[in-house]
Amino acid sequence: MSARTKQNSAFSALFTPKLVTVLREGYGFDAFKADLISGLTVAIIALPLSMAIAIASGVPPERGLYTAIVGGFLVSLLGGSRFQIGGPAGAFIVLVFATVQVHGVEGLLLATFLSGFFLLAVGFLRLGTFIKYVPYPVTVGFTSGIAVIILASQLKDLFGLTLAGGEPGPFIPKLKALAEAAPSFNLAALLVAAGSIAIIVGLRRIRPGWPGFLIAVICATLAAWLFDLPVETIGTRFGGIPQMLPAPHLPDLSLDKIIAVLPAALSFTLLGGIESLLSAVVADSMTGRRHRSNCELVAQGVANIGSALFGGICVTGTIARTAANVRAGARGPVSGMLHSLFLLAFMLVAAPLARFIPLAALAGILAVVAWNMAEKHQFAALLRSSRGDAVVLLITFLLVVFRDLTEGILVGFGLGALLFLHRMSEAVRVEHGIASITDRPDNGEEPYAPDIATDDTVVVYRISGAFFFGAAAAVGAALDRIGGKPRAYVIDISSVLMLDSTAAATIEGFARKARQAEASVYLVGANPQIRKLLRTHGLRPPHLRFYGALKDAVAAARRQSQAS
């Protein structure tokens, strides 16, 4: 097989949509029936949720439906996960709301459009693998922070408050404005919201298979209509929703506008990639399947471009709806495609009825979503686990709530990376002496002990762990502390997990000092990659000799010391 053919085969394996894989495996009527039922189930969940997320994001409710219909269909059609459900997500509420406040809806559409191309680039450059390296405390911190912000954003509609100057975006000013608006409290709105929450929570306990969100919205709407409750509805605020998808159109692509929304687009890209791959991992854990991360990111990119063209907001994989899809018995991506078609049918048929839905009921839905998003048990466990993890968690959480979501993720990731490097550097060991001059058994590391070294002219050291820039200074200091004037040094690195250029430079510096002292250096256990790296730093015979076995290196070192 030629190299070009191998490259094409590898590309195909990475970017073939799961829909193609499912169809190749054989897709019959039973599978279609299962996907039909699961698609309808998820659509019933997504219908009120998509509108609620859109309203909380500062845009009309129909834009949430456009997102779920167009974006959700493309995610399932092209995605690298069998069960992923795409659509508007609660995690984006903060970013979308802030973007609308600064750049308006047209700016939001442009940012979503650009983020689609960025996600395409991330996928095709095969960078999706790196997104999984976001530390767990960062994930829990920003998810919990988003939950707090979502709940705060729903307090206005939960209590039926009237804000004279509009609702501020930042957390503290928002709470102050809500407190000042407390005299406008609407008991009817609170009762509708509380009733919706009670129905959702109650049904989850006694009838978990029932669509609690939709039932709560229907009951709240009927109650508001029958009793003529003085509560704000979709109709009173937005005038209802249209019955058709709009014609696709490009957003404003002027250079000035692109530059203005670029930070928002990058934030959408980062959060969208993390959220969608986390959702795919959840689906994998529930089904035992494996998703194609880079293919999934490409699909997310196409879905965001498509959503923006039809007036929708950011698309990503949605964990709760994806899990519901799996639990409903989905067999493959057809379920997600059908979920979008069902939503389109609902919009065509029932759009006029949506204007009667109380906003307090949708606020109740998002309050439940926020409660579920707040990873309370994981948050408490990380606070108890270690001081480093607790610091990363709290700083991420506080920055997300009080500063900015992207800033929280980036700072948290940076702190998590530093914490990891610190822990890895502490795991490196430098041991002096030899336990024996025979090879160690494969199933254990025999301890080295300085007091049983057999030859003062030959010093044996073993380095174990990850020998990288974070540990290079400590290892270099340990090597420099060698006493006496030995004629040869044997350094066993067979237990080194990885070695980088800084570590290679440290060994080169030690070898140079040894040459100045007229001593030889023997390196044991270097694999071909490490040998190649060391040679690029000038470490080759006669300045440094490579051996595969410790006994051979010690024997050669003794012969050299006796000869000199």
Side-chain angles (χ1 to χ4, degrees), residues 341-383:
L341 295 178
F342 279 124
L343 284 175
L344 178 59
F346 292 157
M347 190 173 76
L348 294 175
V349 174
L353 300 177
R355 63 191 182 91
F356 297 107
I357 296 175
L359 295 180
L362 297 180
I365 288 175
L366 286 181
V368 174
V369 170
W371 178 260
N372 293 333
M373 281 182 66
E375 302 185 54
K376 302 169 286 295
H377 300 298
Q378 295 88 335
F379 199 101
L382 285 170
L383 287 178

Side-chain angles (χ1 to χ4, degrees), residues 403-424:
R403 288 280 299 174
D404 177 74
L405 178 64
T406 306
E407 185 177 328
I409 293 175
L410 294 177
V411 172
F413 180 82
L415 290 175
L418 290 175
L419 178 64
F420 170 77
L421 293 176
H422 174 67
R423 288 170 174 170
M424 289 292 290

Side-chain angles (χ1 to χ4, degrees), residues 167-180:
E167 187 173 1
F171 187 71
I172 295 299
K174 183 192 298 288
L175 294 184
K176 288 181 178 178
L178 291 171
E180 292 172 358

Side-chain angles (χ1 to χ4, degrees), residues 154-484:
Q154 297 310 299
L155 293 177
K156 173 181 175 292
D157 289 329
L158 281 170
F159 293 96
L161 303 177
T162 302
L163 300 181
E167 187 173 1
F171 187 71
I172 295 299
K174 183 192 298 288
L175 294 184
K176 288 181 178 178
L178 291 171
E180 292 172 358
S184 64
F185 162 70
N186 185 336
L187 179 61
L190 178 60
L191 291 175
V192 169
S196 301
I197 294 171
I199 290 172
I200 295 169
V201 174
L203 286 178
R204 282 187 177 176
R205 292 185 177 180
I206 61 175
R207 291 290 187 271
W210 289 15
F213 287 160
L214 186 62
I215 292 174
V217 167
I218 292 173
C219 292
T221 304
L222 288 174
W225 177 67
L226 288 173
F227 298 105
D228 195 22
L229 298 178
V231 294
E232 195 173 13
T233 65
I234 287 179
T236 58
R237 183 180 295 183
F238 301 103
I241 63 174
Q243 288 184 265
M244 287 292 293
L245 286 173
H249 70 282
L250 285 170
D252 179 8
L253 295 176
S254 64
L255 182 59
D256 290 342
K257 197 69 174 177
I258 289 174
I259 294 173
V261 303
L262 195 58
L266 292 172
S267 298
F268 292 166
T269 304
L270 176 62
L271 183 57
I274 295 172
E275 186 78 4
S276 61
L277 293 188
L278 281 176
S279 179
V281 168
V282 169
D284 289 349
S285 67
M286 295 177 69
T287 61
R289 299 284 187 174
R290 289 187 61 187
H291 72 281
R292 300 183 182 118
S293 58
N294 292 302
C295 180
E296 182 62 28
L297 291 177
V298 169
Q300 297 289 337
V302 174
N304 275 278
I305 294 170
S307 177
L309 291 176
F310 282 89
I313 60 177
C314 303
V315 182
T316 188
T318 56
I319 295 175
R321 275 160 276 173
T322 298
N325 188 41
V326 173
R327 286 194 293 265
R331 300 286 186 86
V334 174
S335 173
M337 297 163 66
L338 289 171
H339 129 271
S340 296
L341 295 178
F342 279 124
L343 284 175
L344 178 59
F346 292 157
M347 190 173 76
L348 294 175
V349 174
L353 300 177
R355 63 191 182 91
F356 297 107
I357 296 175
L359 295 180
L362 297 180
I365 288 175
L366 286 181
V368 174
V369 170
W371 178 260
N372 293 333
M373 281 182 66
E375 302 185 54
K376 302 169 286 295
H377 300 298
Q378 295 88 335
F379 199 101
L382 285 170
L383 287 178
R384 296 192 301 267
S385 62
S386 72
R387 182 176 299 176
D389 286 337
V391 168
V392 173
L393 171 73
L394 289 174
I395 287 180
T396 303
F397 174 78
L398 293 173
L399 285 175
V400 167
V401 173
F402 295 103
R403 288 280 299 174
D404 177 74
L405 178 64
T406 306
E407 185 177 328
I409 293 175
L410 294 177
V411 172
F413 180 82
L415 290 175
L418 290 175
L419 178 64
F420 170 77
L421 293 176
H422 174 67
R423 288 170 174 170
M424 289 292 290
S425 66
E426 288 188 331
V428 176
R429 299 196 310 272
V430 181
E431 299 165 285
H432 175 212
I434 56 173
S436 84
I437 59 172
T438 60
D439 291 334
R440 292 189 307 279
D442 293 336
N443 60 349
E445 290 190 1
E446 197 171 347
Y448 280 27
D451 58 339
I452 59 173
T454 57
D455 194 333
D456 291 339
T457 61
V458 178
V459 175
V460 180
Y461 267 76
R462 177 173 69 180
I463 303 173
S464 58
F467 189 6
F468 69 113
F469 63 89
V475 174
L479 294 176
D480 289 340
R481 286 196 296 268
I482 297 173

